[in-house]
Amino acid sequence: MTLHSAPDRAAAASARSDARRAAVVDLGSNSVRLVVFEGLGRNPVAVFNEKAVLRLGRGLEASGRLNEEAVVQALQVMQRYNAIARAMGADPFEVLATAAVRDASNGPDFVAELQTRMPGVPIRILSGEQEADFAAAGTICGIPGADGVLADIGGGSLEVVRLARGRRFEAQTLKLGVIRLADRAKQDVERARLLAEQDLATVPWLGTAVAPDLYAVGGAWRALARMHIARAGYPLGIVHHYTIAADEARQFTTTVAEAPRRVLERMAEGSRKRVDDLPYAAVVLRRLLRITGARRVVFSANGLREGWYMDLLPAEIRDEDPLLAAGHDYARRLGREPDLPPALIAWTAPLFPDEPAVFRRLREAACWMSDIGHRDHPEYRAEQAFLRIFRQPGVGLDHHARAFLGLALALRYEAEPDAPFLAPARQLLTIADQRRAEILGHALRLAYTLSAGTMTLLQATRLDVGSTLTLRLSTGSGVFEGESVTRRLQRLASTLALSAQTRVDR
């Protein structure tokens, strides 16, 4: 199912530079969330994000109706969200209602009342198929090559989608949202296991799909990921792209499903509002791992809302590589000379013969990002550059990319290789990957020393790599072998385990 149109390339370029805002409300069974996005770039930029946990779907299984107390609260919250979106100039602004509203007998009355309080605001009651489409588009936004099974858990429903190399195929909606499952099971976790197993068995393709990865989307599973990050002492507290091997995920979900409430409260810490949901989220995740045979769980912070945003993008932007798009965005916002990054890409290429495609992308992204610290205080440029990449909120970087680029750019700003702030990145990289990042970082430092950040001066230099690392300089170009150049050339050569020399071409 296609959710987008494709304006021409000129319109796409215009849209990218436009600072317009777009807002969406995800009106779910468990929570209601407003997100305001700014611009129309490949990686969504949320400038406002607010959530209210209302549990509209509580009791729906027994009564067939939305929770009356939650309806009153929702009307108040939605009036606030309407005021915020209007004050921020968001256009388009849309409300997407999901399982609880579409299944409740009083859902139409609730929507009608909302419409009177939010005149002119489109309110869409999504079908399960549409929920799956948006969830898939949002996940692919952040993980373009997603391959396996996507599972988006909410309060009222679970959407499962087969993904293959970034394309969406079969999808189905099940009544396995955490609130609905708890109600169906009469708050009995053991009975919830049986219900989850029975429901998942009705999806004919789920057990036969080739599922190297299980992509976990939804607030309840994000809470599980945060718990696991804390328990594992993982060095990066970002859920998006966090990955757990299947065996470890099965053990962890069993622990969560069987833990007494007081233990869960200690484990959950920042996600205590989710404590009631966690055992049911764990049960469904474990059953999905069993039936899909997935090798690992990949958590995605993207879902329905980002899928809605992707639908706004011209095809030319939507189809960009998110990693390189992030690099281009940094260069556009923080760089001094727009023509320098492509020159740096060519200048550093001789250092990496037979370079795998995955590392070429990282090297290109590093070159685009390489001037991000020039406005920072000189004493803190290295650490600021590192943190700006390692902890940036965008979706374009997985954890390996954050670590690699953060390390390379910190060294570009001459961080000490054993600086304590680099330790989290080094934990996420193999020794070989650390060495690649070090070579690239030292090369970029040398390039900026030679060129003063200009393409004209950089083009008067060249690196030759053989049994010796040779820096070639053009005479009369304004580039010469001073102390700083010699020192940085020697450091790069040492990282390559080579000797260094300089030659002046006349």
Side-chain angles (χ1 to χ4, degrees):
M1 176 179 176
T2 301
L3 296 169
H4 50 260
S5 59
D8 61 27
R9 193 170 295 275
S14 175
R16 182 195 305 281
S17 61
D18 187 1
R20 62 181 287 188
R21 288 171 174 172
V24 62
V25 173
D26 179 356
L27 184 54
S29 305
N30 188 55
S31 64
V32 183
R33 185 188 294 268
L34 168 68
V35 179
V36 181
F37 297 104
E38 188 163 81
L40 285 178
R42 174 57 182 78
N43 294 306
V45 177
V47 294
F48 185 83
N49 188 328
E50 183 173 296
K51 178 182 74 171
V53 178
L54 304 180
R55 294 187 174 266
L56 274 170
R58 175 177 282 168
L60 175 64
E61 189 66 22
S63 69
R65 296 175 60 81
L66 295 173
N67 182 323
E68 296 289 352
E69 181 181 348
V71 165
V72 173
Q73 295 174 330
L75 292 171
Q76 293 177 326
V77 168
M78 293 295 285
Q79 283 185 285
R80 168 177 166 78
Y81 287 173
N82 184 41
I84 291 170
R86 295 309 188 198
M88 296 185 75
D91 184 19
F93 171 40
E94 188 170 9
V95 177
L96 305 180
T98 56
V101 175
R102 74 168 171 260
D103 293 343
S105 61
N106 59 341
D109 292 339
F110 173 58
V111 170
E113 180 62 25
L114 274 181
Q115 201 71 78
T116 65
R117 300 186 185 211
M118 305 171 66
V121 178
I123 301 175
R124 257 201 282 180
I125 302 176
L126 300 181
S127 67
E129 179 87 359
Q130 289 171 318
E131 270 200 76
D133 280 329
F134 279 125
T139 300
I140 292 167
C141 166
I143 311 174
D147 202 16
V149 172
L150 161 68
D152 182 5
I153 197 165
S157 66
L158 170 77
E159 279 68 50
V160 288
V161 186
R162 184 169 73 87
L163 303 176
R165 293 180 296 280
R167 295 182 60 199
R168 170 234 194 265
F169 291 90
E170 299 96 329
Q172 191 158 330
T173 297
L174 301 166
K175 294 182 178 181
L176 290 176
V178 287
I179 294 176
R180 181 168 284 180
L181 179 57
D183 287 348
R184 290 173 65 197
K186 312 297 184 189
Q187 316 303 316
D188 183 335
V189 174
E190 190 57 43
R191 177 163 173 73
R193 287 192 180 97
L194 297 175
L195 290 170
E197 192 165 351
Q198 291 168 8
D199 287 8
L200 291 171
T202 67
V203 184
W205 53 267
L206 199 53
T208 60
V210 177
D213 289 327
L214 175 62
Y215 299 94
V217 177
W221 282 338
R222 288 194 297 272
L224 287 179
R226 291 187 195 99
M227 290 167 59
H228 193 274
I229 286 171
R231 283 168 59 90
Y234 189 73
L236 181 60
I238 293 176
V239 167
H240 192 54
H241 280 284
Y242 184 61
T243 301
I244 309 177
D247 287 346
E248 188 174 354
R250 281 191 288 267
Q251 293 173 8
F252 180 65
T253 52
T254 298
T255 298
V256 172
E258 295 177 354
R261 181 182 175 85
R262 64 182 183 279
V263 174
L264 278 182
E265 288 177 346
R266 288 199 299 271
M267 292 172 65
E269 293 185 352
S271 301
R272 289 190 176 181
K273 288 185 178 179
R274 291 278 184 186
V275 166
D276 291 336
D277 303 334
L278 294 175
Y280 302 98
V283 160
V284 176
L285 187 58
R286 182 175 173 81
R287 287 299 176 268
L288 276 165
L289 282 167
R290 175 188 290 180
I291 197 169
T292 62
R295 297 196 303 264
R296 59 182 192 164
V297 180
V298 180
F299 292 91
S300 172
N302 283 12
L304 182 144
R305 297 175 295 275
E306 289 75 19
W308 176 87
Y309 170 87
M310 290 295 282
D311 191 31
L312 304 178
L313 298 184
E316 290 84 355
I317 296 177
R318 189 181 56 253
D319 294 340
E320 290 176 350
D321 181 323
L323 172 63
L324 296 181
H328 297 162
D329 181 59
Y330 272 117
R332 184 169 57 251
R333 290 188 294 111
L334 300 174
R336 286 170 288 183
E337 181 164 338
D339 294 331
L340 183 62
L344 287 170
I345 292 169
W347 195 83
T348 56
L351 299 170
F352 301 94
D354 304 317
E355 181 179 35
V358 63
F359 285 105
R360 177 176 174 81
R361 287 176 65 243
L362 287 168
R363 180 170 62 83
E364 289 186 10
C367 290
W368 283 103
M369 297 175 179
S370 60
D371 207 23
I372 63 173
H374 77 90
R375 290 186 176 92
D376 296 325
H377 191 286
E379 295 295 330
Y380 297 99
R381 280 178 184 158
E383 187 169 4
Q384 289 287 84
F386 172 78
L387 293 175
R388 189 171 283 132
I389 298 303
F390 194 61
R391 296 179 180 173
Q392 66 103 5
V395 302
L397 282 68
D398 62 22
H399 291 197
H400 176 268
R402 289 171 184 273
F404 182 94
L405 294 171
L407 177 58
L409 293 180
L411 295 174
R412 172 264 185 269
Y413 285 106
E414 220 160 15
E416 290 299 323
D418 59 352
F421 69 82
L422 294 177
R426 291 193 181 278
Q427 290 179 52
L428 296 177
L429 297 172
T430 65
I431 297 299
D433 289 352
Q434 290 181 52
R435 182 172 178 271
R436 284 180 184 272
E438 288 165 357
I439 292 169
L440 181 56
H442 294 321
L444 289 171
R445 183 60 180 166
L446 175 62
Y448 275 90
T449 302
L450 290 164
S451 70
T454 69
M455 186 178 71
T456 301
L457 269 65
L458 186 68
Q459 288 179 329
T461 75
R462 188 176 86 235
L463 289 175
D464 289 340
V465 183
S467 57
T468 299
L469 175 65
T470 303
L471 172 64
R472 307 188 78 98
L473 308 176
S474 296
T475 188
S477 63
V479 181
F480 61 91
E481 188 184 12
E483 184 274 333
S484 293
V485 168
T486 300
R487 174 164 48 84
R488 286 160 185 161
L489 177 63
Q490 291 289 351
R491 171 165 275 191
L492 174 59
S494 175
T495 307
L496 289 162
L498 296 173
S499 59
Q501 62 180 355
T502 303
R503 291 188 177 175
V504 179
D505 298 323
R506 302 183 185 278

